[in-house]
Amino acid sequence: MSLNPAALRRGTLALLLAGSPIPAIAETSVTLEELSVEGEAQPANGRVSPGAFGVAAPPGSAPVVIEHPVGEVVTGIGRANTIADRPATSIGSVLVNSPGVTVRQGNGGRDVVISIRGNNARSTGVIKNTIVLEDGFVLTQPDGASRFDLTDPRAYSRIDVFRGPQSPLFGNYATGGAIAFRTRTGREIDGYEIGTDAGSFGYLSHSFTVGGVSGPVEISLFASDVRANGYQDHSAYDTQTINLLASYTPTPDNRFTLKVINNTLDTNLAARSSLAQYRINPYQRGCAAAARAAPGCTTFALFRNGAFGATVPVTADEGGFGRNDRRTVVAARWEHDLDAFTTWRTQVGFDERNFNQPFYVNAFLGSFPSWNVISDLTRRGDLFGLPAVGYVALAYNTIDNHTATYNRAPYGGPRLGALIGDQAAVQSNFGGRARLQLALSDRWTGVLGLSAESTAITGRNLAFGYSASGTTRTIAAADRSFLNVAPELAVVYRPDEAWAFRGRVATGYATPAASNLFVTAAGLPGNNTQLQTQENLGFDLGADWSPVEALRLSVTGFYEFFRNELVSQSPGAGLQTYTFNAPASEHRGIEVGADWAFAPGWRGTLAYGFDDQIYTRYTEQLSAGSLTRRFDRAGNQIPGVPAYQLLARIGYDVPAGPFAGLGAFVETVVQGDFYLDNANLLKAPGYAVVNANLHYATELSGVYAKRLSFYFEVRNLFDTIYVASAQNLSNSISGTTGIQNNAAVLASTTGSVFAGAPRNIVGGMRLSF
């Protein structure tokens, strides 16, 4: 929702004053756990549960309202059956354990695209509409972009998935939710660990973890090297990750934390095919050269001279498609207890994304350095005689974008052609957040939150065109400012220990990023500066039931109303993704999570999400030649969003005796089909894959090593051919009749589909000292 600036200033000031430190009563020490009723139940023994939290986070990892949020819908994912006893080759295989999460293959290596409630399902590269944190530090850059290239699952002890609008708690770009990673602490590691995984298609991974505590210092360090040949032609990759978490506690009321992440990625990138090509040659094999390519191979037309005129077809191999990226994060935090009830935290982070991406018909080179500063205050105490937790924060972040876009030149590796775009922009976000959690009685808890934030984007894009007569230059400039407010209200009722009922009304907002403002509907550098802020209003109703420790069930229904939803689609093969505003749309669905230890050693896990998204007001304009036509898309499904996602797992771990530590599980991951276009003419097919796992772990005594574990997994057991990623496609009309082109035209449009991995085997071991 939008407010006039004067009203916003008055309302924000009133809220900050109301949410300022709550007067504490000395004889009443209220811990957050006494107030906390998360959206879903607590996990047992660190296992995956429908939600909530496992082990305690390191001191100062995040504000308590984020560590244990009241009234939120949060899924907590532990290490059992997700990381500790299986080869977690990408974070996608872990996050599917949360209801409402869908996973798509990204662009090379272990890159995946994560979507919460379908809010990022249309992306095929960066993560949008979701805030990503790690140990309390924000890893989403100020333009709303995150990537999971730097995320090696083995570094983490817990991952929390916040579902639904989260701007009141996290600010800009949290319309879909948030993901909070917690690395293993020094206390958890208490020594060091080495690990090696190997498997099909040349997969080889080495990792090293060390951690411990010495007096006031606690350190954990994770390092890994992962490489593979890939299951598609031209998809080999090599990536290295370093992840450090260190804390220093000189006094009981002062804690300092240092976070350092560095990831390098060098990956070849296979060609995205059309749906028709996928059906002929899903893995794009036999596609080394266009002149002798196998049927179904995808080729891209590159200018012979790299600028204009005649083109030649090239395959991914011939074009040297790939990515050479680096991501570096350095952040620090000071946490100070002002008194027994009040904690003040200030953190500063530097985050640079550096990329060189020559793939398809363009190459993108750039550097995105950014800064993120947050200072917040948390107060426990009483308000009107009721236990309460108050939280206020000020946040500022800024990013300096510079991207040069080139045509590709054919042959000879990743050669650059002519410069066609030069983009430079600065984006800054500044705002405040306040939150009050109030225990209204021993059964009722209420939450009131609000954020207000201003966003400024200034920049320009130079677009160059080439012909035999010379070079043209077009300038598009942007000087945009946005002001957004997001309130939240939640209530939780717990009639007894077994049941919890919750309701939540919350809002979210996502401003367009600078990169969205400078790509035209033709998929080329240009002017798209009219984009507006995406806003959503969401309603959640849910219940959690845990009659005994061995059974946990959570059901949530949601209904979200979007205004000016930012929707992205591909105008054609190799072209840049174009973003537009859909004036009005609705998202509604159901999420179910269950965890049941139904017999000694046996456990079943379920994560299910149903998601129905439609345009309620959107008219699309299409042009070809001299003709222009308008099409009413109201009532159509929003493309890219599968109707359902399911993970179901059943496993057995020998509870005692000589075979204790031996276990196995079988799981299936199911995803529904989805439309690829606004007219709902063409669908990407759904799929169901089955994975089987065998693992063994034992404690070692009388030797230097402490613990040994082995695991072996067959993925896609039945060798199913399926679509792991499909980019949305633009509809088109005939240049002679003005009639909308049919599904066959869409099905032959290249640059959309990646097939999922065929049957593959991965095994490994870890040895702890």
Side-chain angles (χ1 to χ4, degrees):
M1 63 183 66
S2 300
L3 299 177
N4 67 72
L8 175 66
R9 287 192 293 270
R10 291 193 296 270
T12 304
L13 178 60
L15 179 70
L16 291 175
L17 290 174
S20 62
I22 299 167
I25 297 175
E27 60 269 20
T28 306
S29 177
V30 180
T31 63
L32 186 68
E33 286 74 16
E34 292 171 340
L35 295 177
S36 180
V37 183
E38 290 89 4
E40 297 169 350
Q42 298 284 347
N45 302 322
R47 292 183 177 274
V48 178
S49 87
F53 302 85
V55 299
S61 69
V64 290
V65 296
I66 296 175
E67 282 294 322
H68 297 280
V70 175
E72 302 285 348
V73 186
V74 183
T75 298
I77 303 173
R79 290 176 63 84
N81 289 346
T82 59
I83 299 172
D85 47 13
R86 70 186 304 179
T89 53
S90 81
I91 200 63
S93 64
V94 180
L95 290 175
V96 292
N97 288 270
S98 170
V101 170
T102 54
V103 177
R104 300 278 173 79
Q105 174 62 42
N107 289 323
R110 62 187 179 204
D111 187 33
V112 292
V113 177
I114 303 299
S115 175
I116 302 174
R117 292 184 175 176
N119 280 286
N120 191 51
R122 293 164 288 280
S123 174
T124 54
V126 299
I127 309 301
K128 290 282 193 176
N129 301 323
T130 301
I131 294 296
V132 178
L133 305 98
E134 185 165 316
D135 297 318
F137 296 100
V138 179
L139 296 188
T140 296
Q141 290 199 295
D143 63 350
S146 309
R147 289 202 93 118
F148 286 135
D149 295 309
L150 80 167
T151 307
D152 192 315
R154 294 164 297 177
Y156 303 104
S157 64
R158 186 176 92 237
I159 305 169
D160 298 322
V161 180
F162 293 69
R163 308 200 300 273
Q166 297 294 334
S167 291
L169 193 54
F170 298 108
N172 200 2
Y173 299 114
T175 52
I179 302 174
F181 293 88
R182 273 76 174 181
T183 54
R184 299 169 69 189
T185 65
R187 284 181 172 84
E188 290 175 292
I189 300 165
D190 191 27
Y192 64 94
E193 176 184 282
I194 57 174
T196 298
D197 295 351
S200 304
F201 311 114
Y203 180 80
L204 182 62
S205 170
H206 300 292
S207 64
F208 174 77
T209 308
V210 61
V213 180
S214 178
V217 177
E218 180 174 2
I219 294 178
S220 66
L221 174 66
F222 172 85
S224 68
D225 176 273
V226 182
R227 57 193 65 205
N229 296 328
Y231 60 89
Q232 294 177 286
D233 274 7
H234 197 73
S235 61
Y237 68 92
D238 184 358
T239 183
Q240 292 77 39
T241 302
I242 295 174
N243 195 322
L244 170 71
L245 176 66
S247 64
Y248 173 57
T249 309
T251 64
D253 57 355
N254 285 287
R255 294 169 293 278
F256 297 89
T257 304
L258 174 67
K259 183 72 184 179
V260 178
I261 308 172
N262 190 76
N263 171 259
T264 58
L265 170 68
D266 187 3
T267 179
N268 293 334
L269 192 59
R272 285 184 178 270
S273 64
S274 68
L275 192 59
Q277 290 167 328
Y278 156 81
R279 289 166 176 154
I280 298 170
N281 189 352
Y283 304 117
Q284 292 293 289
R285 292 172 181 166
C287 301
R292 53 183 183 276
C297 284
T298 301
T299 61
F300 294 85
L302 303 186
F303 291 117
R304 186 179 295 276
N305 63 6
F308 65 93
T311 62
V312 294
V314 300
T315 64
D317 258 345
E318 291 174 314
F321 299 164
R323 294 174 53 206
N324 191 333
D325 295 1
R326 176 182 56 79
R327 181 83 178 273
T328 301
V329 178
V330 180
R333 174 171 53 241
W334 173 42
E335 183 175 359
H336 176 62
D337 295 330
L338 298 175
D339 56 39
F341 308 97
T342 311
T343 300
W344 176 30
R345 301 164 63 258
T346 298
Q347 63 186 43
V348 179
F350 173 76
D351 182 350
E352 185 192 20
R353 180 161 44 108
N354 190 286
F355 54 91
N356 180 354
Q357 301 176 349
F359 60 85
Y360 307 152
V361 300
N362 298 135
F364 309 96
L365 286 75
S367 176
F368 286 12
S370 66
W371 290 90
N372 195 302
V373 181
I374 300 175
S375 188
D376 58 50
L377 199 68
T378 303
R379 178 76 163 174
R380 299 179 181 88
D382 280 8
L383 184 65
F384 308 122
L386 300 174
V389 176
Y391 171 76
V392 292
L394 289 175
Y396 172 78
N397 51 69
T398 185
I399 186 169
D400 188 355
N401 297 354
H402 183 256
T403 305
T405 304
Y406 296 84
N407 282 330
R408 293 296 319 284
Y411 311 124
R415 294 175 54 221
L416 300 182
L419 177 70
I420 61 171
D422 186 272
Q423 180 188 127
V426 174
Q427 178 170 343
S428 300
N429 305 289
F430 175 72
R433 303 160 200 166
R435 186 178 177 89
L436 176 65
Q437 302 176 175
L438 190 64
L440 302 171
S441 71
D442 59 346
R443 296 184 178 182
W444 289 89
T445 304
V447 178
L448 178 65
L450 180 69
S451 71
E453 189 168 11
S454 65
T455 298
I457 303 175
T458 58
R460 60 100 183 105
N461 186 81
L462 304 179
F464 300 91
Y466 302 91
S467 66
S469 59
T471 302
T472 60
R473 189 181 77 160
T474 305
I475 300 177
D479 186 0
R480 300 290 308 277
S481 61
F482 307 88
L483 188 59
N484 295 288
V485 176
E488 173 188 10
L489 177 66
V491 64
V492 178
Y493 172 60
R494 187 182 286 278
D496 53 42
E497 290 298 317
W499 284 96
F501 299 92
R502 50 193 157 74
R504 179 173 182 261
V505 181
T507 51
Y509 55 86
T511 61
S515 56
N516 303 139
L517 301 178
F518 298 120
V519 179
T520 69
L524 298 172
N527 192 335
N528 193 31
T529 57
Q530 79 287 344
L531 288 175
Q532 301 298 315
T533 296
Q534 169 181 285
E535 300 169 327
N536 65 328
L537 170 65
F539 298 85
D540 286 355
L541 284 175
D544 309 308
W545 182 55
S546 182
V548 293
E549 183 68 21
L551 174 61
R552 303 175 188 277
L553 173 67
S554 177
V555 179
T556 302
F558 65 90
Y559 209 120
E560 299 177 6
F561 298 87
F562 277 74
R563 185 172 67 176
N564 292 323
E565 182 170 6
L566 294 167
V567 181
S568 298
Q569 61 189 28
S570 169
L575 297 171
Q576 298 179 57
T577 299
Y578 164 68
T579 301
F580 62 91
N581 285 119
S585 54
E586 295 178 6
H587 304 183
R588 54 272 180 110
I590 297 173
E591 298 160 339
V592 180
D595 189 72
W596 185 21
F598 54 89
W602 288 92
R603 181 176 294 271
T605 301
L606 174 73
Y608 172 78
F610 169 77
D611 196 357
D612 180 35
Q613 299 190 8
I614 61 169
Y615 294 121
T616 55
R617 184 161 52 90
Y618 172 46
T619 300
E620 184 175 24
Q621 180 173 298
L622 302 176
S623 299
S626 61
L627 300 179
T628 297
R629 296 291 186 269
R630 295 170 65 85
F631 298 89
D632 184 6
R633 306 302 192 195
N636 284 12
Q637 299 287 316
I638 298 177
V641 182
Y644 57 88
Q645 171 85 23
L646 168 72
L647 174 127
R649 180 189 303 116
I650 185 169
Y652 178 74
D653 287 277
V654 179
F659 296 104
L662 179 65
F665 63 79
V666 177
E667 68 180 16
T668 182
V669 178
V670 182
Q671 188 176 107
D673 56 12
F674 55 91
Y675 285 107
L676 290 173
D677 64 304
N678 288 326
N680 290 180
L681 300 177
L682 183 68
K683 275 188 173 182
Y687 64 84
V689 297
V690 175
N691 307 316
N693 173 283
L694 179 69
H695 55 268
Y696 175 73
T698 182
E699 303 295 328
L700 303 176
S701 59
V703 296
Y704 184 58
K706 297 187 299 183
R707 182 179 175 84
L708 176 65
S709 62
F710 296 96
Y711 39 83
F712 177 83
E713 191 161 305
V714 181
R715 297 176 172 175
N716 195 358
L717 182 63
F718 301 111
D719 204 21
T720 301
I721 298 175
Y722 66 99
V723 173
S725 176
Q727 184 162 298
N728 290 353
L729 300 172
S730 296
N731 294 105
S732 60
I733 61 173
S734 166
T736 55
T737 66
I739 297 174
Q740 184 169 256
N741 289 319
N742 59 24
V745 174
L746 289 168
S748 63
T749 303
T750 59
S752 178
V753 177
F754 276 151
R759 182 190 298 118
N760 62 99
I761 299 171
V762 187
M765 59 80 65
R766 295 192 184 102
L767 186 61
S768 301
F769 298 88

